[in-house]
């Protein structure tokens, strides 16, 4: 069962200035690549906030600090929106269509996600790391569950995750089968109304699955539960070509995200301690994701160079941060048994940063390059706008 105290970051195709969805499939005008886009710095900041929420939420849970609640899970939702958005932008840049696009997209994504996730599954089993280091001890899950985790199919097999943050990756893997189809559909029907219709269908499908689920079925394993969250990113991508002028300053983007974090936590508190209607947890997630998707295209670029640089580096290494911080929290707070919680927290943050850099350069980046060679297609534009490491797997917090 997924645990609410444990939230999540993904991607290998990178970011770019958006190509208007009205262009024909298989074309990606060079002048679009050259355009200065506010989305680059702002999406880096969005990803940095998302992984920060996950890390802070888990750190607070490990240190028994109350009040963090659903912050980690909200970080996961931000990752879902971010991932879908940057993947749509990446498919534009590939300049491919039909089966060639679908094949290249899926191959690149598999090489982006699986090497590090498989390594993490093997590591925690070999070193007997608990799934949730602040709650319980290690237990061998059995070979069927181990294989399900290695394949990232926990929601299909209704299996527990050997690392709490892995619960969200199956949903992302399954969305990879759908996103190229949505991309080609929206290129064919570029009207914003069509995209709104897609989001409405996603909500309808997810709601229908929730209503029709068998008695006693864990709603966290519903296949379409987060479909509307991903489609919110698709809607943001489509909206970018319609927003003629960004009128809101970059600092307002940071303020807006802070407001959403506070609002999400407040709503979660009210749901926990007040009357809670049936299914409001799903509706809550869908609406907050929709708010992020609607807002992204309206903000000017963040101007602070220091903040942009920090956000860019965190975005680059976010998948490694996601995968490594759970074992490191266990190492620093349980195995080392340092008397000071503050020192344990500082050491955990430092080791997570160093480990994520090591994982990226030793495993993630080489796997990305191998995936590109297998997938074929045009090389990515060697500029900041096409940096491949900034779209990671969306990172997770187990749900209760």
């Amino acid at each position: 069962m997924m645990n609410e105290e444990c939230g999540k970051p993904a991607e290998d195709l990178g970011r770019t200035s958006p190509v208007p969805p009205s262009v024909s499939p298989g074309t990606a005008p060079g002048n679009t690549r050259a355009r200065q886009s506010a989305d680059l710095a702002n999406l880096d900041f969005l990803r940095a906030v998302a992984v920060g929420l996950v890390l802070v939420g888990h750190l607070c849970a490990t240190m028994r600090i109350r009040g963090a609640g659903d912050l980690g899970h909200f970080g996961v939702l931000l990752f879902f929106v971010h991932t879908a958005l940057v993947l749509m932008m990446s498919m534009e840049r590939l300049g491919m269509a039909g089966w060639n696009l679908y094949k290249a997209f899926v191959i690149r994504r598999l090489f982006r996600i699986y090497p590090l996730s498989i390594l993490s599954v093997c590591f925690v089993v070999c070193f007997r790391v608990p799934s949730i280091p602040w709650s319980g001890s290690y237990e061998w899950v059995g070979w069927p569950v181990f294989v399900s985790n290695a394949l990232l199919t926990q929601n299909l097999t209704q299996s527990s995750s050997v690392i709490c943050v892995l619960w969200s990756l199956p949903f992302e893997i399954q969305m990879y089968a759908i996103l190229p189809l949505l991309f080609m559909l929206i290129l064919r029907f570029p009207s914003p109304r069509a995209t709104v219709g897609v989001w409405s269908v996603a909500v309808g499908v997810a709601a229908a699955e929730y209503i029709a689920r068998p008695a006693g079925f864990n709603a966290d394993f519903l296949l379409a539960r987060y479909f509307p969250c991903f489609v919110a990113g698709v809607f943001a991508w489509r909206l970018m070509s319609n927003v003629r002028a960004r009128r809101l300053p970059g600092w307002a983007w940071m303020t807006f995200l802070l407001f959403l974090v506070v609002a999400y936590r407040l709503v979660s508190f009210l749901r926990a301690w007040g009357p809670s209607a049936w299914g409001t947890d799903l509706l809550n997630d869908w609406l907050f994701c929709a708010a992020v998707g609607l807002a992204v295209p309206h903000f000017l670029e963040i101007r602070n160079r220091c903040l942009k640089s920090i956000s860019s580096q965190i975005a680059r290494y976010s998948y490694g941060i996601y995968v490594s911080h759970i074992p490191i929290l266990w190492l620093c707070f349980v195995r080392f048994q340092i008397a000071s919680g503050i020192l344990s927290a500082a050491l955990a943050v430092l080791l997570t940063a160093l480990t994520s850099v090591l994982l990226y350069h030793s495993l993630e980046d080489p796997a990305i390059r191998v995936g590109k060679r297998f997938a074929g297609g045009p090389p990515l534009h060697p500029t900041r706008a096409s940096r491949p490491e900034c779209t990671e797997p969306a990172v997770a917090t187990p749900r209760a």
Side-chain angles (χ1 to χ4, degrees):
M1 191 171 183
M2 300 177 214
N3 180 0
E4 203 143 63
E5 60 224 357
C6 190
K8 143 178 177 170
E11 143 109 287
D12 97 294
L13 300 181
R15 303 166 304 158
T16 183
S17 301
V19 178
S22 56
V23 301
S24 60
T27 63
N31 61 341
T32 305
R33 283 178 176 168
R35 281 167 34 192
Q36 292 295 319
S37 172
D39 306 314
L40 304 179
N42 291 2
L43 291 180
D44 274 348
F45 183 76
L46 175 63
R47 187 164 193 83
V49 169
V51 75
L53 290 175
V54 173
L55 181 58
V56 169
H58 293 172
L59 190 58
C60 289
T62 305
M63 299 177 72
R64 302 294 191 269
I65 299 175
R66 303 182 63 181
D70 272 357
L71 288 184
H73 185 68
F74 187 56
V76 175
L77 301 182
L78 295 180
F79 277 120
F80 286 159
V81 177
H82 175 279
T83 295
L85 171 55
V86 295
L87 287 176
M88 300 299 276
M89 297 162 72
S90 297
M91 283 186 280
E92 289 177 324
R93 187 174 63 256
L94 281 175
M96 303 169 71
W99 170 246
N100 289 334
L101 169 65
Y102 194 95
K103 180 182 66 173
F105 174 83
V106 171
I107 290 175
R108 291 183 182 216
R109 295 309 305 146
L110 295 183
F111 274 92
R112 183 65 182 99
I113 300 255
Y114 273 106
L116 191 50
S117 69
I118 292 174
L119 175 64
S120 67
V121 169
C122 294
F123 179 89
V124 299
V125 170
C126 290
F127 291 93
R128 301 175 62 84
V129 179
S131 172
I132 305 175
W134 57 89
S135 177
S137 57
Y138 173 80
E139 294 182 7
W140 167 240
V141 293
W143 286 109
V145 175
F146 173 83
V147 172
S148 181
N149 275 260
L151 297 177
L152 297 177
T153 58
Q154 300 96 294
N155 63 337
L156 297 177
T157 61
Q158 299 184 39
S159 302
S160 60
S161 295
V162 296
I163 310 179
C164 62
V165 293
L166 289 186
W167 71 263
S168 58
L169 291 185
F171 295 101
E172 188 162 347
I173 290 291
Q174 289 144 24
M175 277 302 302
Y176 295 160
I178 300 175
L179 282 178
L181 303 178
L182 293 180
F183 176 78
M184 289 183 279
L185 176 67
I186 293 174
L187 284 182
R188 186 174 180 85
F189 302 100
S191 167
R193 292 183 179 179
T195 310
V196 172
V198 171
W199 185 82
S200 301
V201 169
V203 169
V205 170
E209 184 188 28
Y210 180 82
I211 294 170
R213 76 191 191 282
F217 186 89
N218 185 355
D220 290 323
F221 291 125
L222 294 173
L223 296 183
R225 171 171 182 152
Y226 298 103
F227 190 17
C229 300
F230 285 101
V231 177
V234 176
F235 186 76
W237 163 75
R238 178 62 189 90
L239 191 60
M240 285 174 180
S241 65
N242 276 28
V243 177
R244 302 304 178 190
R246 300 170 186 270
R247 302 184 182 278
L248 301 176
W251 62 263
W253 172 237
M254 298 182 285
T255 305
F256 175 74
L257 289 180
L258 176 61
F259 168 77
L260 286 185
V261 170
V262 174
Y264 189 86
R265 185 68 193 101
L266 178 60
V267 171
S268 297
F269 176 82
L270 294 176
R271 284 178 42 236
W273 296 100
S276 180
W278 177 72
T280 53
D281 53 340
L282 279 72
L283 182 61
N284 184 49
D285 290 351
W286 301 340
L287 292 179
F288 271 89
C289 287
V292 175
L294 288 170
V296 167
H298 296 281
F299 292 91
L300 295 168
E301 183 178 14
I302 295 173
R303 296 298 183 185
N304 186 287
R305 292 185 177 180
C306 181
L307 181 61
K308 288 166 64 174
S309 177
I310 293 173
S311 298
S312 176
Q313 292 304 308
I314 294 175
R316 178 192 296 261
Y317 302 117
S318 58
Y319 189 22
I321 294 172
Y322 154 59
V323 165
S324 66
H325 79 277
I326 292 296
I328 289 174
L329 287 175
W330 170 77
L331 185 69
C332 294
F333 284 90
V334 179
R335 297 297 294 175
F336 288 169
Q337 295 184 342
I338 301 172
S340 170
I342 299 298
L343 289 179
S344 296
L347 180 61
V349 171
L350 176 61
L351 289 179
T352 298
L354 295 176
T355 303
S356 64
V357 173
L358 176 63
L359 288 172
Y360 178 79
H361 292 287
S362 63
L363 179 61
E364 294 177 64
D365 188 52
I368 290 172
R369 297 177 186 277
V370 171
K372 290 177 185 176
R373 287 199 295 269
F374 272 97
L380 298 185
H381 195 259
T383 65
R384 185 177 79 94
S386 62
R387 192 160 49 82
E389 60 276 4
C390 48
T391 47
E392 311 300 334
V395 186
T397 283
R399 302 276 311 205

